[in-house]
Amino acid sequence: QKEVEQNSGPLSVPEGAIASLNCTYSDRGSQSFFWYRQYSGKSPELIMSIYSNGDKEDGRFTAQLNKASQYVSLLIRDSQPSDSATYLCAVYTGGFKTIFGAGTRLFVKA
Amino acid sequence: DTAVSQTPKYLVTQMGNDKSIKCEQNLGHDTMYWYKQDSKKFLKIMFSYNNKELIINETVPNRFSPKSPDKAHLNLHINSLELGDSAVYFCASRGPLNTEAFFGQGTRLTVV
């Protein structure tokens, strides 16, 4: 069983819509949760980090964490074509180990 | 003044050759990593070092040998390269353990 699971997509949304990206993880002891964006041919870059249950907002991005359900999500409001990328969910499970999901490809249509 | 830099960016080599990838970070982080990203974009941890000490070795073949001469550098040497080693290799570093990792620009290795 994969430790961090994401729908690989592609997820296609029109410009201006809300994109919703989801992630589940298997290790209940996981402590920190991250969303990275990766453009084709580039390295992953951090979008959001979240450490406690609830919502965390940063501009057009909102991360949501539910530790009881072992679920993390990322909402992108007012999606722009420049948001088209692969979004990687990452979970720090302790012991120096951060596990990545396989990523969800997002396409924002102009 | 790149935070995590790795060289080379591209590496094309024949099967059976030995090659190295270098990584340096100027963030003052104690922990460094090597990740492998395959064609399906899956980013898999290979090694983790903390203060020059190997912490994680994720059942990587022993043809892969990391070396950390100091906590700012983590190099990866690969012996007897195989076709299946073709991937993008990312170096990363981290400060406090529960914070995010910072990635280098990646090395695209192609074995022919």
Side-chain angles (χ1 to χ4, degrees):
Chain A
Q1 183 180 357
K2 291 183 183 177
E3 298 176 66
V4 178
E5 295 213 37
Q6 296 180 252
N7 187 327
S8 61
L11 173 66
S12 184
V13 300
E15 185 175 358
I18 296 176
S20 179
L21 305 162
N22 304 315
C23 170
T24 58
Y25 60 94
S26 60
D27 186 341
R28 284 196 171 273
S30 298
Q31 303 170 23
S32 313
F33 307 85
F34 310 95
W35 283 99
Y36 287 81
R37 178 177 62 199
Q38 187 176 24
Y39 292 114
S40 181
K42 300 295 185 182
S43 58
E45 56 176 336
L46 184 74
I47 298 295
M48 292 283 287
S49 58
I50 187 165
Y51 300 95
S52 54
N53 280 331
D55 295 359
K56 179 181 178 182
E57 186 174 320
D58 184 1
R60 296 187 296 112
F61 299 94
T62 298
Q64 299 174 316
L65 173 61
N66 183 326
K67 289 187 177 181
S69 300
Q70 296 175 242
Y71 176 88
V72 192
S73 66
L74 179 70
L75 298 177
I76 307 174
R77 288 181 299 282
D78 189 25
S79 295
Q80 301 297 308
S82 59
D83 294 328
S84 298
T86 297
Y87 289 80
L88 303 170
C89 174
V91 176
Y92 175 65
T93 59
F96 296 89
K97 197 169 184 179
T98 297
I99 305 296
F100 283 78
T104 298
R105 292 179 67 194
L106 173 66
F107 291 104
V108 181
K109 298 174 294 185
Chain B
D1 57 347
T2 304
V4 182
S5 61
Q6 54 182 108
T7 56
K9 188 171 183 181
Y10 299 98
L11 191 52
V12 181
T13 187
Q14 291 186 326
M15 275 195 303
N17 283 352
D18 304 338
K19 291 293 179 186
S20 292
I21 307 171
K22 296 186 176 182
C23 179
E24 175 181 5
Q25 54 96 2
N26 62 5
L27 298 168
H29 290 164
D30 288 341
T31 307
M32 295 185 72
Y33 300 85
W34 280 109
Y35 282 88
K36 178 180 180 182
Q37 188 170 48
D38 59 26
S39 57
K40 295 184 178 180
K41 293 288 191 180
F42 185 50
L43 199 61
K44 185 174 180 181
I45 190 170
M46 300 174 68
F47 300 104
S48 171
Y49 271 73
N50 188 62
N51 276 321
K52 303 191 299 179
E53 182 181 343
L54 178 66
I55 302 296
I56 294 173
N57 179 340
E58 282 289 299
T59 60
V60 178
N62 58 15
R63 297 183 296 106
F64 291 79
S65 51
K67 282 190 171 50
S68 183
D70 55 62
K71 74 174 191 177
H73 295 83
L74 180 61
N75 303 322
L76 183 65
H77 187 76
I78 315 170
N79 290 325
S80 302
L81 278 155
E82 301 176 356
L83 292 176
D85 297 332
S86 296
V88 180
Y89 292 84
F90 285 101
C91 175
S93 74
R94 155 183 280 114
L97 289 179
N98 63 342
T99 59
E100 72 273 21
F102 292 82
F103 285 83
Q105 72 269 41
T107 296
R108 181 173 293 277
L109 171 66
T110 303
V111 182
V112 297

